[in-house]
Amino acid sequence: MKQKIGSQNVLYPTPVTIVGALVNGKVNFLNVAHIGILNASAPHLISLGMGKGHYTNIGIRENKTFSVNILSQDKMVEMDYVGIVSGSTTDKSAIFDTFFGELRTAPLIQDCPLSMECRLTDTYETRTHDVFIGEIVATYADDAVLTEGKVDLEKVKPLLFDRSSMMYWSLGHAEGRCWSEGKKYKKT
Amino acid sequence: MKQKIGSQNVLYPTPVTIVGALVNGKVNFLNVAHIGILNASAPHLISLGMGKGHYTNIGIRENKTFSVNILSQDKMVEMDYVGIVSGSTTDKSAIFDTFFGELRTAPLIQDCPLSMECRLTDTYETRTHDVFIGEIVATYADDAVLTEGKVDLEKVKPLLFDRSSMMYWSLGHAEGRCWSEGKKYKKT
């Protein structure tokens, strides 16, 4: 039996990211899981759906740069923490060791398996959210999460977000090969 | 040690969805994992980043409606299959049992734990992709995946996509509570 459950968004889980920006000259971080992938070709475009009230938005608008960092699930406490305190009242600059890359104004997290430096290319505004669209300029990966030069999610152990349960989830296992499993399909 | 790995998109995994549309009057389905969440308030807006060459895009542009269906991982073969054959040459209308909801032109999958009916509100165009932005008009959930009226991902068993490995992944387990785990953070 099916239930109609309103106009609920059930497009989960999504990866939890820590977004870095300079706000009023200071390094700041925010937990963002309302992400998007716009295309699958260069320049690679991704989006962040961020409530307009967030302090981080000010820095992204000002510098037109931001970073998107993927941390491992053992950093769940830090990841959640930067989402529950605001940079307007709490200094979050020392929670992570940071470095700067090509863009100079997008703080990246050092102790972090994967980071992307992004240049803001557009902002899609909704009534309540700034959807920041960024071009990925450079990607950094820890040696420890690469297998034969490729990012290995089994090693990354990303944290995932689900709004229905309001819980963070771990990733399971590789189950099958894309553009291959479908060949087993037989019409009945 | 960090490696710079180009401008690679590592914003994965994302949920594998089966997008339904009527194309030239016939039910069609496509596998789409390049999704996005734009906001966290009504009207709920989600996006689909779909290569311009896809047959399904024609129907979404024509009817201005589509469905986004979340299937369980035991349907991996069917999910992959609709992504490797095109509706321009293969009739995909009978792969799933379908029904129509409020919008009348967005085919929904019957044997599927979660489905969203969407009205196209905008199209964000990139050189290679149509990013369809839809408002979620109605959401359908199977009783079997609800726990106390809430969507329970442990029961949904969604399939996740990762572009680095080109593999489908399963979901792991609930690891901690959002907006709560961070309270354990102590500055060092």
Side-chain angles (χ1 to χ4, degrees):
Chain A
M1 272 293 293
K2 285 198 185 294
Q3 301 285 340
K4 220 165 155 181
I5 56 170
S7 61
Q8 199 174 317
N9 180 5
V10 292
L11 194 50
Y12 294 95
T14 48
V16 178
T17 74
I18 302 300
V19 171
L22 278 185
V23 190
N24 297 324
K26 183 178 276 186
V27 167
N28 194 56
F29 294 106
L30 180 66
N31 175 322
V32 177
H34 286 155
I35 56 82
I37 298 176
L38 275 62
N39 62 2
S41 55
H44 289 279
L45 300 173
I46 58 177
S47 67
L48 305 174
M50 293 171 51
K52 282 180 185 284
H54 285 300
Y55 186 68
T56 306
N57 297 27
I58 299 167
I60 294 176
R61 286 182 175 280
E62 185 186 331
N63 299 301
K64 302 197 187 319
T65 61
F66 58 88
S67 72
V68 177
N69 305 275
I70 310 286
L71 281 71
S72 296
Q73 65 184 67
D74 63 359
K75 289 286 196 297
M76 179 167 60
V77 169
E78 289 84 350
M79 283 193 272
D80 192 56
Y81 178 72
V82 301
I84 60 181
V85 295
S86 170
S88 65
T89 52
T90 303
D91 180 353
K92 295 190 264 187
S93 65
I95 296 169
F96 306 108
D97 287 336
T98 56
F99 69 102
F100 287 89
E102 294 182 21
L103 295 175
R104 304 288 175 183
T105 52
L108 296 142
I109 297 178
Q110 186 66 44
D111 184 17
C112 169
L114 297 168
S115 299
M116 294 175 275
E117 275 193 275
C118 298
R119 180 185 292 120
L120 183 71
T121 60
D122 206 353
T123 303
Y124 187 89
E125 293 205 41
T126 75
R127 187 175 52 84
T128 55
H129 285 64
D130 292 325
V131 183
F132 293 119
I133 297 172
E135 173 188 344
I136 302 166
V137 170
T139 305
Y140 302 84
D142 268 1
D143 273 338
V145 299
L146 298 176
T147 297
E148 294 174 1
K150 283 190 180 169
V151 172
D152 185 339
L153 284 192
E154 197 99 51
K155 295 176 176 173
V156 174
K157 297 189 194 307
L159 197 64
L160 308 176
F161 171 69
D162 166 46
R163 198 174 165 88
S164 295
S165 58
M166 291 293 186
M167 297 290 281
Y168 294 118
W169 293 70
S170 58
L171 183 64
H173 303 285
E175 300 289 343
R177 188 153 292 283
C178 305
W179 299 290
S180 174
E181 289 295 326
K183 294 173 189 166
K184 299 174 191 165
Y185 179 75
K186 293 276 179 291
K187 286 186 190 179
T188 50
Chain B
M1 273 292 294
K2 284 198 186 293
Q3 302 285 339
K4 219 165 156 179
I5 57 170
S7 61
Q8 200 173 316
N9 181 5
V10 292
L11 194 50
Y12 294 95
T14 48
V16 178
T17 73
I18 302 301
V19 171
L22 278 186
V23 190
N24 297 323
K26 185 179 275 187
V27 168
N28 194 57
F29 294 105
L30 181 66
N31 175 322
V32 177
H34 285 156
I35 56 83
I37 298 177
L38 275 63
N39 63 2
S41 55
H44 289 280
L45 299 174
I46 59 177
S47 67
L48 304 174
M50 294 172 48
K52 283 180 185 284
H54 285 300
Y55 186 68
T56 307
N57 298 26
I58 300 168
I60 294 177
R61 285 183 176 281
E62 185 186 331
N63 299 301
K64 302 198 187 317
T65 60
F66 57 88
S67 72
V68 177
N69 304 275
I70 311 287
L71 280 72
S72 295
Q73 64 183 69
D74 63 0
K75 289 287 198 297
M76 178 167 61
V77 168
E78 289 84 349
M79 283 193 272
D80 192 56
Y81 177 73
V82 300
I84 60 181
V85 295
S86 171
S88 65
T89 52
T90 303
D91 180 353
K92 296 189 263 187
S93 64
I95 296 169
F96 305 107
D97 287 335
T98 56
F99 69 102
F100 288 88
E102 294 182 20
L103 296 176
R104 305 286 175 184
T105 52
L108 296 143
I109 297 179
Q110 185 67 44
D111 185 17
C112 170
L114 297 168
S115 299
M116 293 174 275
E117 275 192 275
C118 298
R119 180 184 292 122
L120 183 72
T121 60
D122 206 352
T123 303
Y124 187 88
E125 293 207 40
T126 76
R127 187 175 52 83
T128 55
H129 286 64
D130 292 325
V131 183
F132 294 119
I133 296 173
E135 172 188 345
I136 302 166
V137 170
T139 305
Y140 302 83
D142 267 2
D143 273 338
V145 299
L146 298 175
T147 297
E148 294 174 0
K150 284 188 180 171
V151 171
D152 185 339
L153 284 192
E154 197 100 51
K155 295 176 177 173
V156 174
K157 297 188 192 310
L159 197 65
L160 308 175
F161 171 70
D162 167 46
R163 197 174 168 87
S164 296
S165 58
M166 290 292 186
M167 298 289 280
Y168 294 118
W169 294 68
S170 58
L171 183 65
H173 303 285
E175 300 289 342
R177 188 153 291 283
C178 305
W179 299 289
S180 174
E181 289 296 325
K183 293 174 188 165
K184 299 174 190 165
Y185 179 74
K186 293 275 179 290
K187 286 186 188 178
T188 50

